[in-house]
Amino acid sequence: MGNTKRSSANQVLTSGRQILRKIRSQPAAIEAFISTAQALSTTVSDAESAYCWLSCVLALRALSQGNFGVGALLVDASGSIVATGGNQMFVPRFRSEAHAEMVVMNEFERRRQAVAHLARYTLFTSLESCPMCLVRLVTAGVGTVVHVTADTLGGMVTQKETLPAAWKQLAANHAYREASCAQELKELATEIFALTRTKLNNKLRDRGA
C-alpha cells in the first residue's frame, strides 16, 4: 500500500515539476516561490501532500500569468487527477467567474459529461473556497473539498453553517476541510495568493466605482 501511495505522489510531483519548468522568467518574488516549490517537492511522500503541492504549483502558474495566485485540481476515487486549473479572472481576458475551482469544474464537466456522481471525488485548492466556488462545488456534488490554506477575508468553508438552508442540505453529507500537509506548504499557498491580492482586488473595485 505504501509503494502505491508513493508511486501516485511521484506521478503528481513529476507533472508539477514540468509545469514549473514552463513558467517563464518572472520577478524576483515569483522566482523565489518557484525555488521554494521545487525544494518542497523533495519532502513530499504522501498523496494528499502531493495534490496540495500541485495546487500551489498551479497557483504559481496563475500568478505568473497576471491572475490571482490560486490553483486547484479534481481527483477521482482512484486517485487520478481528472482536471486541473488556476485562476483566470484577468488573463487572457476578464472573466468574473473564473476562479480556480470554477475553471476546474468547467473543464471537468465539459470533458466528462457522462459522470453523474461525484461523491467519491475530491477537489484540492490552494486557497479556501469563496462563497461562489463553494456553492458551485456543493451543487456539483463533489464529495470532499480540501484547501491548503484558509482565506480569512473571503473564505466560505469556515462559515458554511451560514449558507441558506437549501445549500446546507445539499452539503450535508460532504466533507470540507483544511489539508493535512506540511506547514511550509500552507505558508507557500498563503504567500502566493497574498503577493498580488491587494493589487487585483483594487482592479475589481475600480470596475464597480
Side-chain angles (χ1 to χ4, degrees):
M1 185 71 172
N3 288 339
T4 301
K5 288 184 177 180
R6 182 60 190 172
S7 175
S8 175
N10 279 336
Q11 292 170 2
V12 176
L13 294 170
T14 297
S15 174
R17 291 183 184 118
Q18 291 173 348
I19 292 171
L20 287 174
R21 284 195 292 269
K22 292 178 181 178
I23 297 177
R24 297 184 179 181
S25 181
Q26 296 291 324
I30 298 179
E31 291 289 351
F33 290 152
I34 293 172
S35 295
T36 299
Q38 290 170 332
L40 287 175
S41 72
T42 66
T43 69
V44 171
S45 60
D46 64 279
E48 176 156 325
S49 294
Y51 297 136
C52 292
W53 176 84
L54 182 57
S55 76
C56 290
V57 169
L58 295 164
L60 260 175
R61 183 171 66 182
L63 177 68
S64 73
Q65 294 168 342
N67 295 301
F68 282 108
V70 184
L73 54 137
L74 186 65
V75 179
D76 68 14
S78 72
S80 297
I81 297 172
V82 294
T84 64
N87 186 283
Q88 294 179 8
M89 283 188 67
F90 294 95
V91 180
R93 61 180 176 83
F94 183 76
R95 290 171 54 200
S96 58
E97 95 296 349
H99 289 198
E101 299 95 313
M102 304 288 270
V103 170
V104 168
M105 294 310 299
N106 287 347
E107 177 67 10
F108 175 77
E109 290 172 2
R110 182 184 67 83
R111 294 173 52 200
R112 305 288 184 97
Q113 296 179 26
V115 179
H117 302 284
L118 277 72
R120 297 180 65 194
Y121 283 63
T122 302
L123 184 133
F124 290 87
T125 175
S126 62
L127 185 73
E128 180 184 353
S129 297
C130 73
M132 175 178 72
C133 292
L134 184 61
V135 168
R136 170 71 182 276
L137 297 170
V138 169
T139 304
V142 178
T144 303
V145 178
V146 179
H147 60 268
V148 179
T149 191
D151 182 359
T152 56
L153 295 180
M156 191 66 196
V157 171
T158 51
Q159 300 184 60
K160 65 182 182 298
E161 291 307 313
T162 65
L163 286 169
W167 304 115
K168 288 174 68 174
Q169 290 171 5
L170 284 174
N173 297 320
H174 300 164
Y176 307 90
R177 62 177 176 82
E178 189 166 327
S180 299
C181 64
Q183 182 61 30
E184 290 82 0
L185 265 180
K186 296 178 186 289
E187 292 171 358
L188 178 61
T190 300
E191 291 168 3
I192 290 171
F193 179 61
L195 184 64
T196 59
R197 178 177 194 162
T198 299
K199 173 185 174 182
L200 296 181
N201 275 341
N202 286 340
K203 284 188 175 184
L204 293 178
R205 291 189 186 97
D206 288 344
R207 293 181 66 87

